[in-house]
Amino acid sequence: MSIPRHQSAPPLQTDFLSASDAARLVVRTGITQVLRQIADAIEADFGRWPDFDKSARTAAHSASGVIELMPVSDTQDYAFKYVNGHPHNPQLGLPTVMAFGALADVATGMPRFVSELTLTTALRTAATSAMAARHLARADSHSMALIGNGSQSEFQALAFMELLGVRELRLFDIDPAASQKLLRNLQPFLAQFEASASIAASVADAVRGADIVTTITADKTHATIIHSHLLEAGMHLNAVGGDCPGKTELEAAVLEQAQVFVEYEPQTRIEGELQQMPAAFAVTELWRVLQKQTPGRSSAEQITLFDSVGFALEDYSALRTMHGLARQAGLLSQIELVPSLTDPKDLFAMLRHAQSAQLIPFSARKSA
């Protein structure tokens, strides 16, 4: 039954969170509180892993980087993210990673929320790292080596200080200016957490004696940032930077000496550190640990490795968290993403209405 033409069509509005409003939201809420809420949401959603329709992300690779689409859904919500990874973008004045995404209702397909995801991706990546480490690192872990001090490094440091009680950070980057930038940005938080941070002279110096080692370098290459001789009993490795084909950070022997955990195995075998290993190399999907189907760390001496490439379910959790927080803070705006039609079957009416508004006969317009 069509709506009578004399009635006005109800407005169809989509909530929108801009990059600047996302930053305002994080500042108002507190970055460590946002990290904690996203980590808790990710853990809860991984805990209902079978509820989701999952697939590896679709990627368009080039010599300079990659552009990816990342979808996931349950019976109520559909989420997707557009994200790139171009290591040389800073030379062009652009971020290495840029992203946006949406939440939509499965029942109708109506996009409910569109958001920036550049800042949110940094938050959810760090939140995922810390969430995994809560189950894989030793409970008494207090020191972390942070190798790669670019755009993600502050978020990783804060997530581990907030969620795991890390109080000693050792920083290393081949670009000394990046480490100095990270140290400056962390100063207010170091005082808050009564923590310390120092710049190491080498990877080996940073890693020596560290309870947790986080690698988050950007170059799209088969690099060897961590060699097996640097491993120590009880260490937890959080390998974040190897996240696309042809991009790794760890010597293959590191994986052979560790118990390896992943987000979504079909994706990680293509994109993660796991791409170096034979198809039969055994790994454990993290959701099985969260559902207590399999143990995480089995002893204080065991070396654990989280081969983190980023998975769409984490973006779903982050989108839902940021949407809720932004609504509470009054920072959502609305956009007309979908046309409002008096008769949903008459899309052409949009053109008639536009013609009337401009007082130009539609038939008189010429094609360009």
Side-chain angles (χ1 to χ4, degrees):
M1 177 177 171
S2 62
I3 301 173
R5 289 184 178 273
H6 65 273
Q7 292 185 7
S8 299
L12 295 178
Q13 300 289 330
T14 298
D15 289 340
F16 175 64
L17 183 65
S18 70
S20 56
D21 281 336
R24 293 186 187 97
L25 175 62
V26 172
V27 169
R28 288 187 190 181
T29 309
I31 184 170
T32 54
Q33 179 61 25
V34 173
L35 285 164
R36 179 174 289 278
Q37 290 197 37
I38 292 177
D40 290 345
I42 293 170
E43 182 163 341
D45 288 332
F46 267 68
R48 59 186 189 96
W49 184 266
D51 294 346
F52 291 91
D53 182 10
K54 300 170 288 291
S55 63
R57 53 192 168 204
T58 300
H61 294 279
S62 66
S64 58
V66 63
I67 296 175
E68 299 170 327
L69 294 178
M70 302 172 62
V72 71
S73 65
D74 62 8
T75 58
Q76 294 186 329
D77 298 301
Y78 175 93
F80 85 90
K81 180 171 78 173
Y82 165 100
V83 62
N84 76 300
H86 288 73
H88 300 296
N89 266 6
Q91 299 173 18
L92 305 174
L94 294 171
T96 299
V97 174
M98 297 175 283
F100 66 89
L103 280 173
D105 292 319
V106 167
T108 64
M110 175 66 192
R112 186 170 70 253
F113 178 48
V114 172
S115 177
E116 78 78 39
L117 285 181
T118 305
L119 176 60
T120 301
T121 291
L123 291 162
R124 76 87 159 125
T125 301
T128 302
S129 293
M131 182 275 290
R134 284 194 294 201
H135 297 272
L136 302 178
R138 297 192 329 271
D140 62 350
S141 296
H142 72 278
S143 61
M144 181 169 76
L146 188 50
I147 313 301
N149 299 162
S151 295
Q152 171 66 201
S153 57
E154 288 87 353
F155 300 91
Q156 291 283 332
L158 290 172
F160 277 83
M161 286 194 289
E162 169 70 16
L163 297 175
L164 267 83
V166 164
R167 292 297 179 265
E168 180 190 352
L169 294 165
R170 294 96 166 272
L171 318 177
F172 180 78
D173 195 292
I174 57 173
D175 177 9
S179 298
Q180 291 290 349
K181 175 270 303 181
L182 173 57
L183 195 57
R184 286 195 305 272
N185 287 339
L186 288 179
Q187 284 302 324
F189 300 97
L190 295 175
Q192 173 187 332
F193 286 103
E194 299 182 347
S196 65
S198 59
I199 298 175
S202 67
V203 170
D205 286 344
V207 169
R208 189 176 299 113
D211 301 315
I212 298 169
V213 175
T214 290
T215 57
I216 190 152
T217 59
D219 283 346
K220 187 179 180 183
T221 184
H222 284 303
T224 306
I225 307 300
I226 302 296
H227 294 263
S228 59
H229 71 267
L230 297 176
L231 299 180
E232 298 179 13
M235 186 177 280
H236 172 65
L237 292 99
N238 176 41
V240 182
D243 58 0
C244 71
K247 186 170 183 273
T248 56
E249 298 179 307
L250 309 182
E251 183 183 20
V254 171
L255 281 76
E256 294 170 348
Q257 294 185 38
Q259 181 71 30
V260 180
F261 299 84
V262 302
E263 291 139 310
Y264 182 56
E265 184 177 348
Q267 180 173 294
T268 310
R269 288 202 177 273
I270 297 170
E271 301 186 348
E273 298 298 328
L274 200 53
Q275 66 188 275
Q276 305 177 72
M277 310 308 289
F281 183 81
V283 298
T284 301
E285 289 189 329
L286 186 62
W287 71 273
R288 296 187 180 278
V289 177
L290 301 182
Q291 290 195 359
K292 302 187 185 306
Q293 294 185 12
T294 188
R297 171 173 292 274
S298 59
S299 72
E301 294 74 30
Q302 184 184 40
I303 297 171
T304 54
L305 166 60
F306 180 44
D307 188 1
S308 172
V309 300
F311 185 58
L313 182 53
E314 298 150 19
D315 301 306
Y316 165 91
S317 306
L319 277 163
R320 284 165 51 90
T321 301
M322 294 293 279
H323 191 201
L325 289 172
R327 182 187 294 115
Q328 294 171 15
L331 285 172
L332 291 174
S333 56
Q334 282 70 46
I335 56 175
E336 187 188 11
L337 192 64
V338 176
S340 299
L341 302 172
T342 302
D343 180 355
K345 295 183 178 182
D346 188 5
L347 180 61
F348 199 81
M350 289 188 67
L351 304 181
R352 294 199 309 272
H353 295 157
Q355 167 204 346
S356 299
Q358 297 186 51
L359 302 177
I360 300 173
F362 188 62
S363 59
R365 285 190 172 271
K366 297 182 179 179
S367 300

